[in-house]
Amino acid sequence: MLTPSSLFNLKPPAKYAILLLTAFCFYANTFPNLYALDDEAVIQKNDYVQSGFKGIGKILTSDAYLNYYRHNNSNQTLSGGRYRPLSIVLFAIEHQLWGESPYLRHLINIILYALCTLCIYYFLSIILSHRLPLGNDIAFISALLFTIHPIHTEVVANIKSSDEILSLLFIMLTFIFSIRYRETKKTGNLVAGMFVLFLALLSKEYALMLIFLMPILFSLRYKERLWKSVRFSLPWFGVIAFYLILRFISIGIPHGHSIPDVLNAPYLYASPMQQFASEICVLGKYLAMLFFPYPLAYDYGYAQLPYQNLSSPVVWVDAAAYLVIIYAAIKLWHKKNILAFFVLFFLFNLLPVSNFFMNIGTTMGERLIFHSSLGFTTIIAACMAAGGLRIPQRQASAFIKGVLFLILLLSFIEVYARNRDWKNNFTLFTTDVKTVPNSVKANDNAGAQWLNYSETINDTDLSDSIARKALDYIFRAVSIDSIDVTGYMNLGVAYCKLIQPDSAKFYWDKAVRLFPGWAEKQSNYSTLGKIFLYTGNRYGVKGDYGKSLNEIEQGIRCDPSNAGLWFNLGGTFFNMGQPDSARNAWLRVQQFNPQYPGLGEWLEKVNGERDH
């Protein structure tokens, strides 16, 4: 039979090298990618990031999306706010050092991910090596499975998601230094452990779960009563208390947006029972995706995942699966088996993103399972090792290595392809809308990208054809959600592009009724006024002054201070034999732009006709 540490004839440095090389090989093709998804809001259009070192003070004392809300003339929309300054400080430092290079930022993300996997292996090796048969092998297999898991592509390929990596990295370091302190009593380890916990908290809120996980880890590792472990955890609890005070001082107690938005409140249209049932199904989908992470998508929001009812068999299957997991955690806990910690690590890191206690602003997301996936891969690795203990050593080693190689190969194929989807917004949005065709957000984003692409085409017919393709996606979005403000905004843009100003105004008017504070309202309506002027002049050239008059008056309703519209209105009235109306229109031009070309001549002409 097998003896501990006999699956891999590798020394620790070789295992670290394999993990490091694997992380870089799996994500090397993200290096040439550009910005995508939330990178624009958090980095490119974040004034504090763009200020470099000068913006760090404001970053440390503001909601992560404060700048984004201000630019969009909106209030805080996410329950509880988002105080995650560490990654944004990193972006500001990067901007100061080398400007807006997405390539170097992708490289930094890969490096952080690689460091995270190395810390995971080190932590697992010191936790498992003397507590489980083949503990070192379990640690290595778990770290390797974590490194290659395709569900992590969003975290690594999306620059903004470095907050996830930083969070888990510093949580691992917190555990490592806390164990060192328990075993050496050296103050340096205590200080280091408290400091890295503070960094973990500044990265993302997951570290709050250490209120539960730290005592659990101590209790299981040292086989002591839980109350004693709580007492040893008090210094770290003090750090958490300090963070909560700092968070309150920095962002206060944010409140949600007064206008309901299903994109930020995914269960807006669900009954309480439907919401509860749907949340259970989301947890089931997370579990399924950990086993079979295909296909992947950046959004699973309304209405890609249909609301569920408690009468649905799927709800009960998912609930039963988690009851089994909870039962396993309890049973392992009673046995003081160290694996209980990893089952609980999986569960506790799901709690903040479950929507059970607060609206997290989305239904689910691949990035949100990043932390919990460590618990998953550790349990899977333990099961593989346990199976290996039941067969002769040579066969077990060969079988497990073969399984790992197959998983690695399949994962590499998926990860490599998925990284290419994250090249930019166009590739991401136009690809993923096929995977999540019922997502309002995915359809909105795909439509917007096709619209942007149409603007780059010089051939008018081809450009208009692409714009109409965009309309298909946007109309699908508003058909799913009748108060989709973004959809109505994009419809207006599309119809402007197609020179159909009446339709553009119809949809923009809808958008304004739903969102009166639309930041780009004035500039867009000004553009619409110019298009009405163009269509009005086109009718005027044909001598159809009635239609010309209607178009120009529509334009004036969009942009009342546009001197060109008033000037052409006067010309239309003049051509229709209505000199008094023409004079009144030209007098309005005089108010907005007294130097308007030709204005004086036409006023003299109409005044001369009046004198006669």
Side-chain angles (χ1 to χ4, degrees):
M1 300 299 287
L2 290 172
T3 57
S5 301
S6 60
L7 286 177
F8 302 96
N9 295 319
L10 296 170
K11 293 182 178 180
K15 293 178 180 178
Y16 284 115
I18 290 171
L19 292 172
L20 187 67
L21 183 63
T22 302
F24 272 91
C25 287
F26 265 61
Y27 289 97
N29 69 324
T30 65
F31 178 68
N33 286 0
L34 304 177
Y35 292 110
L37 201 58
D38 294 333
D39 291 342
E40 179 179 307
V42 177
I43 301 172
Q44 293 175 281
K45 291 188 176 180
N46 189 322
D47 295 339
Y48 309 140
V49 170
Q50 299 301 310
S51 298
F53 292 157
K54 294 180 181 178
I56 291 177
K58 194 65 177 176
I59 292 169
L60 290 170
T61 55
S62 302
D63 187 290
Y65 290 98
L66 175 65
N67 197 261
Y68 173 77
Y69 297 140
R70 190 175 66 225
H71 277 295
N72 287 277
N73 198 28
S74 65
N75 299 320
Q76 198 282 129
T77 60
L78 300 171
S79 298
R82 297 293 183 269
Y83 184 62
R84 303 164 181 173
L86 189 62
S87 61
I88 306 177
V89 167
L90 174 63
F91 300 146
I93 293 171
E94 291 170 348
H95 180 83
Q96 183 72 42
L97 295 179
W98 56 68
E100 280 304 285
S101 168
Y103 315 114
L104 292 176
R105 284 189 164 127
H106 280 295
L107 178 60
I108 294 295
N109 246 28
I110 298 171
I111 292 172
L112 290 174
Y113 184 66
L115 289 174
C116 186
T117 61
L118 298 184
C119 286
I120 285 171
Y121 172 59
Y122 181 80
F123 167 67
L124 293 177
S125 64
I126 63 175
I127 289 295
L128 302 176
S129 59
H130 300 300
R131 294 296 302 275
L132 295 175
L134 301 174
N136 280 313
D137 289 323
I138 294 172
F140 178 64
I141 293 171
S142 175
L144 183 62
L145 291 175
F146 181 90
T147 303
I148 67 176
H149 204 299
I151 208 167
H152 298 163
T153 50
E154 177 178 357
V155 170
V156 185
N158 184 208
I159 299 170
K160 174 265 171 192
S161 290
S162 62
D163 55 357
E164 304 281 350
I165 303 174
L166 289 168
S167 172
L168 187 56
L169 170 63
F170 288 121
I171 286 173
M172 290 297 102
L173 289 172
T174 301
F175 288 148
I176 291 167
F177 282 114
S178 68
I179 291 170
R180 284 184 178 177
Y181 174 67
R182 285 292 306 265
E183 296 177 355
T184 66
K185 304 302 181 186
K186 290 183 178 180
T187 305
N189 288 325
L190 174 61
V191 173
M194 294 170 66
F195 178 66
V196 291
L197 173 57
F198 184 59
L199 294 180
L201 289 161
L202 293 181
S203 301
K204 206 161 184 181
E205 294 84 356
Y206 291 105
L208 291 172
M209 293 298 101
L210 268 64
I211 293 174
F212 309 104
L213 291 172
M214 185 75 79
I216 290 171
L217 176 63
F218 287 159
S219 179
L220 289 169
R221 178 169 175 79
Y222 301 108
K223 297 184 178 181
E224 61 191 17
R225 293 185 179 274
L226 191 58
W227 67 265
K228 185 177 180 181
S229 296
V230 170
R231 182 165 58 86
F232 274 111
S233 303
L234 289 178
W236 288 272
F237 292 173
V239 173
I240 292 173
F242 175 74
Y243 159 79
L244 292 173
I245 293 170
L246 178 63
R247 181 189 178 99
F248 174 76
I249 292 172
S250 299
I251 66 173
I253 304 178
H255 301 283
H257 202 294
S258 58
I259 301 175
D261 180 1
V262 75
L263 297 184
N264 290 313
Y267 298 112
L268 179 66
Y269 306 138
S271 68
M273 286 297 98
Q274 283 181 318
Q275 178 172 343
F276 180 67
S278 300
E279 288 165 353
I280 291 174
C281 282
V282 166
L283 294 182
K285 185 168 179 61
Y286 275 135
L287 195 58
M289 292 187 71
L290 286 170
F291 280 103
F292 304 105
Y294 183 86
L296 300 173
Y298 74 91
D299 183 72
Y300 297 88
Y302 186 83
Q304 180 58 33
L305 302 179
Y307 292 157
Q308 298 290 335
N309 293 293
L310 290 177
S311 59
S312 170
V314 176
V315 176
W316 292 101
V317 170
D318 292 335
Y322 274 88
L323 287 175
V324 169
I325 294 171
I326 293 169
Y327 172 76
I330 295 171
K331 190 172 181 179
L332 290 168
W333 171 265
H334 284 309
K335 293 180 178 180
K336 286 298 180 181
N337 189 315
I338 194 65
L339 289 178
F341 172 77
F342 295 98
V343 179
L344 292 170
F345 189 88
F346 170 81
L347 293 171
F348 274 111
N349 281 294
L350 273 180
L351 283 179
V353 298
S354 65
N355 276 310
F356 283 141
F357 306 107
M358 61 176 288
N359 168 35
I360 64 170
T362 187
T363 307
M364 65 173 290
E366 292 160 16
R367 67 192 180 281
L368 303 180
I369 198 71
F370 183 67
H371 289 61
S372 287
S373 67
L374 173 57
F376 172 82
T377 60
T378 305
I379 298 302
I380 294 297
C383 291
M384 292 175 69
L389 285 169
R390 298 178 181 273
I391 58 178
Q393 175 178 349
R394 183 171 297 179
Q395 290 90 324
S397 179
F399 177 75
I400 290 176
K401 288 176 182 177
V403 170
L404 285 175
F405 178 78
L406 180 61
I407 295 173
L408 188 147
L409 180 62
L410 294 174
S411 296
F412 180 78
I413 293 171
E414 182 178 4
V415 169
Y416 185 86
R418 184 59 180 157
N419 290 341
R420 296 174 65 181
D421 293 341
W422 281 90
K423 179 176 176 58
N424 54 42
N425 277 341
F426 182 82
T427 57
L428 181 66
F429 295 162
T430 58
T431 299
D432 283 18
V433 72
K434 300 169 187 175
T435 303
V436 286
N438 295 319
S439 162
V440 172
K441 184 176 182 179
N443 280 283
D444 274 336
N445 286 341
Q449 288 304 308
W450 282 114
L451 273 178
N452 292 341
Y453 180 61
S454 73
E455 294 292 340
T456 67
I457 305 298
N458 293 325
D459 184 313
T460 302
D461 290 338
L462 178 58
S463 177
D464 287 354
S465 175
I466 294 171
R468 292 188 186 94
K469 181 175 184 176
L471 282 174
D472 292 339
Y473 287 111
I474 304 168
F475 272 122
R476 179 162 181 79
V478 298
S479 70
I480 297 170
D481 178 21
S482 62
I483 60 171
D484 175 25
V485 175
T486 300
Y488 293 127
M489 292 175 179
N490 288 337
L491 284 173
V493 173
Y495 280 116
C496 279
K497 159 68 181 169
L498 295 169
I499 318 297
Q500 297 181 34
D502 290 328
S503 296
K505 185 175 185 301
F506 175 80
Y507 289 111
W508 277 349
D509 286 349
K510 271 195 167 187
V512 171
R513 285 195 294 273
L514 291 168
F515 182 32
W518 183 17
E520 297 177 354
K521 170 186 171 183
Q522 185 173 347
S523 63
N524 282 353
Y525 273 85
S526 177
T527 299
L528 192 54
K530 294 182 178 69
I531 297 173
F532 273 118
L533 176 58
Y534 168 77
T535 55
N537 286 338
R538 194 165 59 180
Y539 284 122
V541 169
K542 297 177 181 179
D544 193 340
Y545 298 124
K547 289 184 177 178
S548 176
L549 182 66
N550 178 68
E551 294 293 296
I552 294 173
E553 287 178 336
Q554 285 264 59
I556 288 172
R557 281 192 283 273
C558 292
D559 189 9
S561 61
N562 186 318
L565 282 163
W566 285 104
F567 183 80
N568 281 271
L569 180 67
T572 303
F573 277 130
F574 188 84
N575 290 330
M576 294 174 71
Q578 299 180 35
D580 289 337
S581 296
R583 182 185 305 104
N584 290 334
W586 287 331
L587 289 175
R588 295 297 298 272
V589 177
Q590 210 170 38
Q591 294 176 18
F592 299 123
N593 185 3
Q595 305 303 318
Y596 195 90
L599 176 62
E601 297 175 17
W602 283 103
L603 276 174
E604 287 180 10
K605 187 171 184 178
V606 77
N607 286 331
E609 288 191 4
R610 185 180 184 185
D611 292 341
H612 286 90

